[in-house]
Amino acid sequence: MTQAATELSENQLAQLASTSFTLILSLQDPSGAFPASPTFSAYRGYSWFRDGAFIADGVSSYGTAEGIESASRFFDWCSAILTARADHIERIVGAAANGSPLPDEEMLATRFTFDGHEGTDDWWDFQLDGYGTWLWAAVEHAERHQVSLEPWTPAIRLTVAYLQSSWSRPCFDWWEENSAFVHGSTLGCIAAGLRAAARSGALNDDESHHANTAAENILETMITAGVADGHLTKWLGTDAVDASLLAVIAPLSVINATSLIGLATTAAITADLSVDNGVHRFLGDTFYGGGQWPLLSCMLGLAHAAAGDRDAAVAQLRWAARTATTAADLPEQVADHLLDPSMRQEWVDRWGTVATPLLWSHAMFIRLAVELGSTESSDR
């Protein structure tokens, strides 16, 4: 970590939440897109539906007029991308219905340039989780602030059709890896999005029924094929965990934090992937040596908070805060307790130093700080 592991005051935690919020808004593109990281070579100029949805949820949860407007602008950006591809989505849905689904390279991309294009460089592009996450985040935002979903309704309906047609397909996971599997966190994101859309009023009764049915089928698949030793698994058919599964518990609330599966999943991830409150992505991770990710530590904090363990949640918030640089930038990961130190330099040589700031890290810090009431400083 970049700062000494000293106890931080409530004011310092609140100040970091405030500066995180200001940073995100200052870097948002005029199009509404949130850059994943403004300077990191592999991310520069791109916005992800997944990262962006969690970022939008973070600034929305902060509760100011500026945060509400910022989140809405991101959902405007998502909506414009989807409606511009209505014909493409209808072709994907039709092919799946006819029993001849389109190949992976013809599915929707996972990240887009700020002006809404797919980009020209190669990427691990077929990922379904972001489309579920944007649905969930948009509906949460609308419910939190009484924002109308009407401008985004056509895009919501297109997304629901896309996910219903394709949710059972293998695809890349959150980390752009393992495309041959169906991943627990991907299924959780899709289920959260379909549930949200079904209750949102953006769908007609028949569409809502089908969305709920699909969400129930996804949850049943997760429970029957995506659980081992009582906990959710990284993908269907393994017994390994992945820290992305924490989002399924909180903030997505697909699995109740106090349920047997929720508690077992949190416990398994803590046992296998957490060291001194810093959380690794998964065992065997070699990306930049396999460091600890502040955004995942904040997700573990959200899971603890949802289960009623405030002290454990606060410990996660404090650990994440201590990863901030002297400029108050939160990184993608830190080099403490690397899983494979021999791989770190290879990635530095390929893409440069670790992405800093990573807007998703700042957003998850905000989200946990809001959950714990750690956004109000006596200095404000």
Side-chain angles (χ1 to χ4, degrees):
M1 288 178 282
T2 55
Q3 293 183 3
T6 56
E7 192 70 7
L8 298 170
S9 70
E10 286 298 317
N11 279 356
Q12 287 174 307
L13 295 173
Q15 184 58 42
L16 182 55
S18 176
T19 56
S20 293
F21 178 79
T22 300
L23 175 72
I24 291 171
L25 267 59
S26 72
L27 292 174
Q28 186 173 19
D29 189 74
S31 67
F34 290 116
S37 182
T39 56
F40 187 62
S41 63
Y43 303 166
R44 187 170 51 240
Y46 284 98
S47 181
W48 275 252
F49 268 53
R50 173 187 57 251
D51 302 31
F54 283 117
I55 294 166
D57 181 64
V59 296
S60 171
S61 73
Y62 201 69
T64 68
E66 294 84 358
I68 296 168
E69 189 268 343
S70 173
S72 292
R73 286 175 52 219
F74 174 74
F75 300 132
D76 289 341
W77 180 79
C78 295
S79 178
I81 287 173
L82 289 158
T83 53
R85 288 158 181 78
D87 290 345
H88 184 189
I89 293 170
E90 289 171 6
R91 188 163 66 91
I92 291 170
V93 172
N98 290 332
S100 53
L102 298 185
D104 290 358
E105 58 268 23
E106 295 185 39
M107 301 295 283
L108 296 180
T110 190
R111 66 178 197 168
F112 296 87
T113 60
F114 299 159
D115 60 1
H117 293 98
E118 282 79 359
T120 57
D121 52 334
D122 290 334
W123 198 257
W124 305 271
D125 243 342
F126 175 37
Q127 300 173 37
L128 291 166
D129 57 85
Y131 294 96
T133 311
W134 106 267
L135 286 178
W136 165 80
V139 174
E140 287 283 310
H141 175 63
E143 292 175 344
R144 184 183 288 132
H145 300 298
Q146 292 75 55
V147 172
S148 173
L149 286 170
E150 184 176 356
W152 310 322
T153 292
I156 289 172
R157 297 177 74 181
L158 287 166
T159 307
V160 167
Y162 177 66
L163 293 175
Q164 287 178 165
S165 75
S166 306
W167 68 263
S168 61
R169 290 180 60 155
C171 66
F172 288 107
D173 61 14
W174 278 26
W175 318 123
E176 281 92 14
E177 298 182 5
N178 302 302
S179 62
F181 300 100
V182 176
H183 303 275
S185 55
T186 297
L187 293 177
C189 290
I190 296 171
L194 292 175
R195 281 180 170 181
R199 72 170 188 265
S200 69
L203 309 180
N204 63 37
D205 289 346
D206 189 53
E207 290 168 336
S208 293
H209 171 74
H210 287 300
N212 270 324
T213 299
E216 291 170 3
N217 290 339
I218 293 168
L219 184 58
E220 179 67 18
T221 298
M222 293 172 66
I223 292 172
T224 57
V227 170
D229 300 322
H231 61 73
L232 296 174
T233 59
K234 182 174 176 63
W235 60 66
L236 304 188
T238 185
D239 60 1
V241 291
D242 188 293
S244 61
L245 293 165
L246 292 165
V248 181
I249 298 168
L252 299 177
S253 302
V254 172
I255 297 292
N256 191 296
T258 60
S259 68
L260 292 177
I261 294 176
L263 291 170
T265 301
T266 301
I269 290 171
T270 300
D272 288 2
L273 302 178
S274 179
V275 181
D276 298 333
N277 297 320
V279 179
H280 296 282
R281 298 191 300 174
F282 54 89
L283 292 178
D285 184 13
T286 62
F287 182 55
Y288 281 89
Q292 296 170 298
W293 289 51
L295 72 92
L296 294 174
S297 291
C298 290
M299 285 186 178
L300 180 55
L302 288 169
H304 284 314
D309 191 343
R310 178 180 172 82
D311 289 344
V314 170
Q316 297 300 138
L317 185 72
R318 292 185 179 281
W319 183 90
R322 292 196 297 268
T323 70
T325 68
T326 55
D329 289 337
L330 290 171
E332 184 173 61
Q333 61 172 289
V334 294
D336 297 346
H337 306 290
L338 291 177
L339 296 173
D340 188 350
S342 69
M343 288 295 294
R344 185 171 184 272
Q345 190 59 46
E346 179 177 322
W347 284 100
V348 172
D349 293 342
R350 179 179 180 183
W351 281 351
T353 55
V354 168
T356 309
L358 188 80
L359 269 65
W360 192 3
S361 295
H362 285 277
M364 296 316 303
F365 185 86
I366 292 169
R367 190 66 178 77
L368 180 56
V370 169
E371 187 70 26
L372 296 173
S374 297
T375 58
E376 292 301 323
S377 168
S378 62
D379 297 333
R380 288 176 64 185

